[in-house]
Structures are given as structure tokens and as C-alpha cells.
Amino acid sequence: MNQKDPILHFQRAGMGAGDIQESLSDHLTYSISKYPVTATSHDWYECLALTIRDRLAERWMETMQRYYCADPKRVYYLSLEFLVGRALGNAMLNLEVDDACKEALYELGQDFEKVVQQEYDAALGNGGLGRLAACFLDSMATLDLPGYGYGIRYEYGMFRQSIDGGMQVEHPDNWLRYGNPWEFPRPEVLYPIKFYGRVVDYKHEDGSVHHHWIDTEDLMAMAYDMPVPGYGGKTVNNIRLWSAKSTRDFDLRYFNQGNYIEAVADKNESENLSKVLYPDDSTEMGRELRLKQQFFFVSASLQDILTRYRKHHASWDELPEKVAIQLNDTHPAISVAEMMRLLVDMHRQTWEHAWSLTTRIFSYTNHTLMPEALETWKVSLFESILPRHLQIIYQINAEFLQDVMHHFPGDQDILRRMSIIDEEHGRRIRMSHLAIVGSHTVNGVAKLHTELMKSTIFADFHRFNSDKIINMTNGITPRRWLNQANPGLAELITEHIGKSWVTQLDKLTELRKFADDETFTRKFIAIKHENKRKLAQLIDKRLGLAVDPDSLFDIHIKRIHEYKRQLLNVLHVITRYNRIRCGTYPDLTPRTVIFAGKAAPGYALAKCIIRLINDVGDIINNDPLIDGKLKVVFLPNYDVSNAERIIPAADLSEQISTAGTEASGTGNMKLALNGALTIGTLDGANIEIMEEVGEDNMFIFGLTAQEADDLRRQGYRPHDYYEQNHELKVVLDMIASGFFSPGEPQRYQPIIDALLQQGDRYLLLADYADYVKCQERVDALYGDPQQWARRAILNVAGMGKFSSDRTIKEYAEKIWHVKPVSCDNGA
Ligand SMILES: *Cc1c(COP(=O)(O)O)cnc(C)c1O
């Protein structure tokens, strides 16, 4: 291929408002086929998306050609989730054509904001883990790294949440209903995926045994590509998502029997595999379809990766010099066995050679220490779906345990603990152990989390190989989470320190000198106020609830989970309510406490917490005695687009997980970057945020991870806290007696029982008093707007470390060993 292929003339490249306007009109006629008078806002959205897509396309093709010519080491990020959100605004900003687009649409009589809001939020993920994958892709493209995302093109993403009578209702997310202008179907990129069947061995004359996986039920995986534009628009990387298609062979069996209708019905059933994202965050349910999804996308991705490698290389020896594969949690951990199968069974490599290649290719990111979130599969289920892979895992395990035995002679128990097979709980495959054994590097996502990995769940592995587990503190992309979400603040920053912060977030430290600058502070406060006014407007529009932009916006947004302790926040809210009613604190700072987040559909207690938030809100918001001093809001359907609206309006960021439970958190980073002060525990990345922004500029409370562990060991008695803290007792008694659910006094018994009868696993009662006291410090500081703003500015200034660019540079250097392929040194 020639880089300057004479056949290609790019005609849709103009970046001026006039060029864009021409493209819009062109697409309205030739892509949409409508006159301006009949075009809807959604039609104009399509036109704008296609206009931007055109401009990405040539850069995308150039990038792929650049990689093809340079044949660099590539990195493949395998993730069952990509929570990318909307693409248009991000693409316009990364190409720096947003102003031109605004002007062009204005000339055509269209409202830019309204048009941009037409886009569906692509929610192919649950929460932090999926959003991390999206931020990482943005950073890889911005850094000119040859990075590819691989995942599943779910037809239905994360459910849409509505609230009815205070309760969460789930609706299917039919995000492809109006088509998706960002995806390019690649019907020719198609791989067979096998399931079930059995394994037969053939002995060759030379004595070698080959394994044939036969009588399988087959599916096809078809590729859809989406462009990932880096900032500045030079590099546009690729995310490839797989969709399940039935095989033609499979149909034929039925067609030959003349059973046309059944054949087509069956075809639909096999295509169900990529139908829907599992909506469970941090619990593992061991469902057959889930295992099949995992294998489906792993097998397709690995086949694709090996095919790409083979275009340049005749032997497999250099595979680890050309391919790095990151496993985002254990969801793609079956990759280890599938790579072995492909190399040994399909490409006839010896076991030893294949294993040497495999363990130099993979690395694994752990995202949780919580036992209920660690994936295991029943051996019997696994054996029926992936019989050959079970054999491979047994062999990997046997050889691994040999090594362990040599390393720890005489220690029988350690074999049991480190085995990939858990023999005690009905024989299960521990996917984290498979991922660790098959990887050269394993990483945690914040310092504390990594240390806890080494000292608790993976302590044996750490003793076995002390170099394998390393830390890579998470980050977020400043393009979406500041430049795009908070244009007011982005502009203020750029006015004062230039625009380089967009790709070098460390530059934000230069803002420190403005923390005491009166004019800067005034503008900073005005921007926050304007963001709050907009959020208040949204709350009014969505919920018909008036909130005061002058009140303190206290924001708690994330998945609803006991460990994240939304319930502790509610206990404080009720405490505050009681204090206001008693007149204890007559001039308490007015507050608006805003919650948002989805509960897993099967997680009854999390749903109960959502209902409690709404019931408490109902009582408080309608109590005339409160007189606007306290409002409680539950904003439905937390997703990336709503996060982009809420975060810039936050004064206070609630990061109050029980210490030792939140691996990193990234919501904490987004909020601090947007000038919110954090009230939080010493958990996850909160600790590192504190190191960067200074202890004085955060509100830290509660037990440390060590103290929490000690307390549990000593025998934690939540009832003692209940008896000894009068305010706490009153609050719990109100909930228990139906104060917030007069029609159904028993409604919240499950919550009370979890706290008082079932041991309060997340230590809410132990942290309650300190939390409430810490909130008093928040009130006191908010009473001094200059001081508050000063600290908020110092938070923004200290957040440079938490750019995902920094994280990705660390991965590239310490794990993947990949280098940028930029336009100058590329082809
Ligand atoms: C950042 C983000 C998360 C993760 O939030 P945490 O507070 O780290 O749990 C979840 N969902 C969405 C939509 C996000 O943008």
C-alpha cells in the first residue's frame, strides 16, 4: 500500500464553518433525503454526526495505514464493557471544530444544544470498570499509541432507570433503534466460535497427540468498528465490537429437512448471545449465557489478533514482541486457555512454546477484593460448554502446582489455596488464579488496593513471585471530564495558563498561584454557580422540584451498593433534618443532597436504599418547617451524559465507601477535577487525591482500612453504637417505625436488620458519628465562600496526576512495552 494513494481524494475534509455547513446540507439530501422544513432535530443530529464522521474517517484510515506500515507492537484492551457515552461532542472537541459546527448549524437555523442532545448515550457498561476502558481508549489515541479496544456489541446496553413511586424500574436500552452513525459493520470480518461438543485425541506417528474439538455448536462473530479520535485529531484508533451471527452451516441442517421456519427461529436464538449486557456491578452470578459471552468475544478477538500478526510474520516466535493483551478484570481471563488452544491445537505449536508465548503476552487488571465479585465457574458447567479449555486449564494448573510445590516444599495447604481449581465449593474454576498464572504482570488500580491485593487475596501469589503484582493508579480523561463537560471552567483555566493542560494535566499546578487571586476566584465562583443553575433547571424539568443554586450541592453519584454507603449519607440527611426541626442549628447552611445511581436488578437491598432515598426526600422536601434548608433529590438514570451534567455543578463530592472496599474509584477524580471538595474515607484513590491536593483541602473521616480490619477481628458490635449515640438511635428508630413510609411501616426492616441484626458488614454505625461531625466542618467552611473557593481551586490544581494519560503512559512503559507511532516517525 502506498501512503499517498493517488485514487483517494478526500473531499469532505474542510474544517471551516462553511465547509461544515456544506457537508450538513449534503448529508441532509443524500444520506437522510429530507428538505430542511421536514427535518427533525434527530435528522440534523445524524447529519452532523455523519459530517464529523467523514472527517474522522480519513484520519482513521491514515492511522491504520500508519500502523500497518510501521508494524509496531500493538496493545489490545479486552473488556466486556465500554461505557463510552455520547461520541459527537467528544469528536468535535477532539477535532477542535465545535465552534465551526455551532456556526454552521446556526446558519441553518438549528439549535446546536438541541441537536447534540439527540444522541443516544452508548452505555455498554455498568460503571467504573467500563468507563475506565473508555477513558483508556481516549488516552491511547491521544498519545498516538497503537491501542485497540475489543468487546461486545450488545444490542441492549445498561438498562434505563426510571423511578415510579420511589422505586427503581428498569427499561430495556434499545440504543440502536435509530441506527448508530459511529459504527462501521464489517461483514467480511467474521470468525467461527465453537461451543459444547467433545474432544477426541489423535496420536501421530511421531508420538505427539493432537486434540480435536468436534461436534460443536457453532456461531459466527461479526465485527463492527468504531473510531476513537485522539485529541488534536491526528490519531484515530479503533474499537472492534463483536456481534453474534448464526453460521450458514447451522441453518443448512434444518433447511435440508425443509424446516424453514424452525431454522430461522433457531438462527435468532443463537444470535441472542450478544443481545444484552449483564447489569450486575460487583456480584457474580455464574450464568451460562455470561460464560458464553465471555468466550465468544475472547475467541473472536484472539483469532483477529493472530490474523493481523500473521500478515507480517511467518513464525509465531515474535508474537510477544508484537502483541500485548490487557485483561480488564477476569471477564476475558478465558483468553489464557483460548490462546493456548489456538497456538497448540490450531497452529501446531508445542505446549512449552505456546505457554512461553502466552505468558509474555497477557497482563491482568484486578478491580475488586470483594469475594462475591471474584469470578468462579462450576467445573461441570465449564466442561459442557468448553471441554477442551477445561483440559487445557487442568494442564496449566498441574504444571503451575508443580512449580508451587518446588517453591514451598512440604506446604500442602498452599497448593489448595493457590490452585486454579477450588475443590471445596463444589469444584469451581477460579478465574482470577487463571488470569494471574497466565499473565506476566498483574495490577491493582490504586496504591492501597494493590497493597491489599498483595497482603490479602493474592498474598500467596505475591510470596511466590514478588515482581508480578504492581500498581497502576486509575485516571480519567480530561478531554471529556473537563474540556467537554465543563466548558466554563475549561475556558477560565485556558485564559490563565494556556491550553496545554488538555494533554498535560500536570500543568494545572500553575493554577495554585490564582487560589488567592480575587478576580480569578470571583470568576471561578461564578462558573460554579452557573453550572449549579443549569443543574437546578434540569432537576426542575425532570422532577418538578425547585432547588436553590445558592445552597450547597452535596453530590453522591455512583452505582448503588452497600459498600459505597449511600445509606450512611441518608443517615446524615435524616440527622440534619432532625436538627433543623429541633432548631438546634437555626442558621445551618442550606443544602441540596443529590443522589444518582442504578441498582443491579436482582440486588434487593440496593433497591430498598433507592426507595428510602426517595421516601426521605418526599417527607423532607414537603415539610414546611424545613423552609428550604434541606432538599433531597434522586436524579434517575445515572449514565455518562448525566454525569457530565451533574459533576460540574458539585460543591461536595461524597466518596464514603468503607475503607478497604473501593478499589480506586474514578468518580472521586472527576468531581475534584471540577472543583468539588471531597468528603471521604481513606479508601481507594481518595488517599492519593489527598496526597496531591493536601489534607487541608479535603474532608477526611472514618476508620482506616487497618482500623476497619482490626475492629472486625475484635468483634464489631453495631448495636453498641446504636445504644450509645442518641441521635443515631433516633434516626434508625424513625426508619424502623415507618416515619418515612407511613403507609407501610415495615418497608425498611431489611435495612434495619442489615445494620442491627446482620452485623453491619460495611461498618456504617462505626463511622456515623465521625461522618456527622465531619459534615459540620463542611458547613462551617461553606459559610466562608472565599475560603471554600480557594480550596476548590487547589483541588483542581492538584489533580494533574489523575489524567488517564499518566496512567496509560505507565501501562505502556511498565507493562505493555509499546511506543507511540506518530505521523512523523511512523510509515
Ligand atoms: C465515573 C463513572 C462511574 C464510576 O463512579 P465511582 O464513583 O468511581 O463508582 C460510574 N458510572 C458512570 C456513568 C461514571 O461516569
Side-chain angles (χ1 to χ4, degrees):
M1 246 190 284
N2 187 327
Q3 185 157 26
K4 300 216 166 35
D5 195 325
I7 302 163
L8 298 176
H9 312 279
F10 298 130
Q11 297 195 332
R12 301 171 175 180
M15 305 297 260
D19 307 311
I20 304 264
Q21 193 183 330
E22 204 173 295
S23 283
L24 287 169
S25 300
D26 196 64
H27 277 299
L28 191 64
T29 305
Y30 297 110
S31 304
I32 309 290
S33 267
K34 282 198 183 178
Y35 288 114
V37 281
T38 52
T40 63
S41 292
H42 193 272
D43 292 329
W44 283 112
Y45 156 70
E46 290 253 343
C47 290
L48 184 55
L50 292 172
T51 296
I52 296 301
R53 192 182 95 158
D54 292 341
R55 279 143 184 89
L56 289 179
E58 61 197 66
R59 291 167 169 81
W60 192 18
M61 288 160 61
E62 187 281 319
T63 303
M64 293 303 133
Q65 195 182 26
R66 196 194 321 149
Y67 294 165
Y68 184 89
C69 296
D71 187 33
K73 184 170 188 183
R74 294 164 161 97
V75 56
Y76 299 102
Y77 198 83
L78 266 57
S79 180
L80 213 46
E81 305 190 8
F82 286 94
L83 194 52
V84 291
R86 289 177 174 155
L88 178 57
N90 182 248
M92 287 188 295
L93 274 163
N94 280 8
L95 290 176
E96 298 177 279
V97 286
D98 48 313
D99 287 335
C101 291
K102 260 177 225 170
E103 196 182 322
L105 274 177
Y106 180 82
E107 291 296 325
L108 290 162
Q110 296 304 310
D111 178 21
F112 180 78
E113 270 310 305
K114 192 170 173 192
V115 167
V116 171
Q117 296 296 326
Q118 299 300 312
E119 182 172 0
Y120 254 83
D121 184 292
L124 306 185
N126 273 280
L129 174 151
R131 184 54 232 176
L132 185 75
C135 284
F136 280 4
L137 291 183
D138 179 279
S139 284
M140 287 191 270
T142 297
L143 294 167
D144 300 320
L145 288 170
Y148 297 70
Y150 274 110
I152 293 180
R153 179 182 178 271
Y154 300 107
E155 232 171 281
Y156 293 85
M158 188 61 199
F159 66 82
R160 195 167 51 75
Q161 176 197 58
S162 69
I163 300 294
D164 187 3
M167 287 176 288
Q168 167 171 299
V169 181
E170 299 102 21
H171 308 269
D173 163 53
N174 195 357
W175 72 296
L176 296 168
R177 180 161 45 205
Y178 298 103
N180 175 8
W182 303 106
E183 69 179 13
F184 290 73
R186 308 289 190 200
E188 77 286 6
V189 182
L190 205 59
Y191 295 99
I193 313 293
K194 302 178 188 215
F195 294 104
Y196 306 105
R198 62 202 173 87
V199 182
V200 292
D201 296 345
Y202 289 100
K203 205 164 196 158
H204 286 240
E205 284 146 27
D206 62 2
S208 65
V209 178
H210 283 142
H211 305 272
H212 293 251
W213 184 14
I214 60 166
D215 295 344
T216 50
E217 286 178 25
D218 295 1
L219 265 181
M220 301 304 283
M222 182 187 135
Y224 286 78
D225 288 342
M226 290 208 288
V228 181
Y231 185 76
K234 287 208 291 289
T235 289
V236 178
N237 278 341
N238 196 19
I239 170 169
R240 179 159 279 183
L241 302 179
W242 301 104
S243 182
K245 305 280 175 207
S246 70
T247 58
R248 270 176 235 135
D249 287 353
F250 192 61
D251 297 351
L252 272 178
R253 286 212 310 261
Y254 294 85
F255 280 113
N256 291 342
Q257 291 159 18
N259 202 340
Y260 169 75
I261 297 294
E262 215 167 280
V264 177
D266 225 66
K267 174 174 146 67
N268 279 329
E269 201 181 312
S270 63
E271 292 177 358
N272 279 341
L273 197 93
S274 53
K275 187 72 77 184
V276 60
L277 166 77
Y278 276 89
D280 289 86
D281 194 62
S282 31
T283 44
E284 203 36 66
M285 306 211 299
R287 293 283 167 76
E288 177 164 342
L289 183 66
R290 169 82 168 184
L291 179 59
K292 289 171 80 174
Q293 283 187 339
Q294 295 183 350
F295 178 68
F296 165 77
F297 108 93
V298 158
S299 181
S301 305
L302 297 191
Q303 290 183 65
D304 198 39
I305 291 165
L306 295 186
T307 302
R308 185 172 298 115
Y309 171 83
R310 275 301 222 185
K311 286 183 187 161
H312 290 276
H313 304 272
S315 110
W316 295 103
D317 299 357
E318 288 169 277
L319 197 60
E321 279 73 61
K322 294 294 174 183
V323 171
I325 300 178
Q326 189 68 35
L327 307 174
N328 195 21
D329 212 313
T330 56
H331 313 150
I334 184 64
S335 290
V336 173
E338 174 67 353
M339 182 63 89
M340 287 300 286
R341 186 186 73 86
L342 292 172
L343 291 174
V344 174
D345 295 359
M346 309 304 289
H347 300 297
R348 300 291 188 231
Q349 300 300 293
T350 65
W351 176 273
E352 292 70 26
H353 189 222
W355 185 243
S356 156
L357 296 175
T358 297
T359 51
R360 284 182 283 150
I361 290 170
F362 288 105
S363 46
Y364 151 61
T365 305
N366 171 275
H367 286 271
T368 180
L369 306 170
M370 288 198 293
E372 69 268 39
L374 294 175
E375 279 190 301
T376 61
W377 294 103
K378 273 176 88 158
V379 167
S380 53
L381 175 72
F382 206 94
E383 184 168 29
S384 114
I385 298 174
L386 301 169
R388 176 61 185 137
H389 296 79
L390 184 65
Q391 292 180 341
I392 291 171
I393 289 171
Y394 280 158
Q395 187 167 346
I396 292 172
N397 197 37
E399 293 181 5
F400 169 63
L401 292 180
Q402 280 291 327
D403 287 351
V404 173
M405 205 149 65
H406 282 121
H407 201 274
F408 302 105
D411 190 341
Q412 277 304 305
D413 200 52
I414 205 163
L415 297 178
R416 178 187 64 75
R417 294 199 307 267
M418 292 181 78
S419 173
I420 297 172
I421 308 296
D422 177 356
E423 304 282 355
E424 277 141 81
H425 302 88
R427 300 205 78 221
R428 304 182 74 91
I429 304 176
R430 295 162 165 155
M431 298 308 276
S432 59
H433 291 204
L434 177 62
I436 297 173
V437 173
S439 295
H440 55 85
T441 308
V442 173
N443 77 283
V445 290
K447 278 187 204 161
L448 173 68
H449 170 234
T450 303
E451 288 312 307
L452 290 172
M453 272 168 71
K454 292 197 253 185
S455 63
T456 64
I457 55 170
F458 301 142
D460 293 326
F461 288 93
H462 184 54
R463 280 205 296 147
F464 180 65
N465 179 352
S466 64
D467 296 331
K468 198 179 261 196
I469 303 179
I470 65 173
N471 179 53
M472 292 279 140
T473 298
N474 280 168
I476 55 169
T477 169
R479 270 73 65 184
R480 184 174 293 263
W481 296 113
L482 182 51
N483 198 36
Q484 184 185 335
N486 199 342
L489 183 58
E491 198 182 314
L492 178 71
I493 295 170
T494 300
E495 269 172 26
H496 286 79
I497 66 169
K499 207 165 181 184
S500 59
W501 62 269
V502 178
T503 51
Q504 296 165 270
L505 202 62
D506 286 325
K507 290 274 163 72
L508 291 180
T509 51
E510 290 173 27
L511 291 175
R512 289 207 175 114
K513 61 175 177 281
F514 298 108
D516 295 300
D517 180 304
E518 212 177 297
T519 328
F520 185 90
T521 306
R522 186 159 27 80
K523 287 183 181 165
F524 184 89
I525 292 174
I527 289 161
K528 181 64 79 179
H529 195 269
E530 174 59 14
N531 292 338
K532 289 168 73 177
R533 199 191 54 76
K534 281 200 194 128
L535 180 59
Q537 221 171 33
L538 184 80
I539 291 168
D540 189 29
K541 190 173 126 205
R542 296 237 173 114
L543 303 170
L545 186 67
V547 303
D548 181 2
D550 290 323
S551 64
L552 186 163
F553 277 19
D554 175 346
I555 308 281
H556 203 166
I557 49 174
K558 49 184 80 250
R559 287 300 290 256
I560 310 292
H561 200 291
E562 288 164 273
Y563 86 82
K564 291 178 182 278
R565 298 204 295 193
Q566 283 91 356
L567 187 53
L568 178 59
N569 188 337
V570 175
L571 298 183
H572 165 251
V573 166
I574 299 172
T575 306
R576 203 173 179 84
Y577 174 59
N578 290 341
R579 286 182 180 185
I580 296 169
R581 285 201 310 161
C582 297
T584 326
Y585 295 90
D587 47 33
L588 205 58
T589 324
R591 264 206 211 204
T592 303
V593 184
I594 299 171
F595 294 89
K598 293 171 184 175
Y603 189 173
L605 202 71
K607 289 176 129 176
C608 196
I609 291 168
I610 291 180
R611 195 172 191 188
L612 178 64
I613 294 168
N614 282 291
D615 275 351
V616 168
D618 252 4
I619 298 283
I620 293 180
N621 300 343
N622 295 305
D623 186 336
L625 288 175
I626 293 307
D627 190 29
K629 284 204 172 62
L630 182 59
K631 285 262 162 73
V632 180
V633 179
F634 189 94
L635 254 181
N637 201 40
Y638 184 53
D639 59 10
V640 171
S641 298
N642 282 320
E644 287 171 29
R645 296 182 185 102
I646 299 169
I647 289 168
D651 292 310
L652 187 66
S653 163
E654 298 271 356
Q655 307 300 338
I656 62 175
S657 52
T658 314
T661 62
E662 186 75 272
S664 163
T666 48
N668 47 3
M669 301 169 189
K670 299 168 197 166
L671 283 149
L673 181 62
N674 282 274
L677 300 196
T678 302
I679 182 166
T681 47
L682 289 172
D683 198 19
N686 294 353
I687 296 170
E688 288 158 79
I689 294 175
M690 184 182 79
E691 287 169 8
E692 297 296 311
V693 308
E695 201 176 339
D696 294 344
N697 300 313
M698 262 171 101
F699 300 99
I700 298 293
F701 74 94
L703 299 169
T704 62
Q706 184 65 56
E707 288 165 350
D709 191 47
D710 293 344
L711 178 62
R712 289 190 179 110
R713 283 170 200 279
Q714 289 155 14
Y716 170 50
R717 294 161 54 96
H719 212 271
D720 293 352
Y721 294 85
Y722 166 80
E723 290 297 346
Q724 284 155 26
N725 186 324
H726 180 67
E727 260 188 322
L728 172 61
K729 183 170 189 303
V730 170
V731 168
L732 290 176
D733 289 347
M734 284 166 78
I735 297 172
S737 67
F739 184 93
F740 301 104
S741 55
E744 189 190 347
Q746 294 298 300
R747 185 176 293 164
Y748 296 111
Q749 201 55 48
I751 288 179
I752 298 298
D753 288 347
L755 297 179
L756 294 178
Q757 308 301 322
Q758 291 147 26
D760 182 19
R761 189 173 158 205
Y762 297 102
L763 310 177
L764 276 71
L765 303 201
D767 272 344
Y768 168 84
D770 201 25
Y771 179 53
V772 170
K773 234 197 247 136
C774 194
Q775 289 284 13
E776 291 172 14
R777 293 199 280 128
V778 172
D779 289 320
L781 187 69
Y782 200 73
D784 183 346
Q786 299 304 314
Q787 269 305 313
W788 184 281
R790 181 174 177 277
R791 291 178 200 214
I793 292 165
L794 289 173
N795 265 266
V796 179
M799 289 303 290
K801 171 176 170 183
F802 302 99
S803 169
S804 47
D805 299 345
R806 187 269 312 152
T807 314
I808 285 299
K809 281 182 196 156
E810 285 183 17
Y811 275 89
E813 189 189 323
K814 301 213 171 84
I815 300 182
W816 303 331
H817 306 289
V818 296
K819 294 202 168 62
V821 182
S822 51
C823 297
D824 340 312
N825 68 12

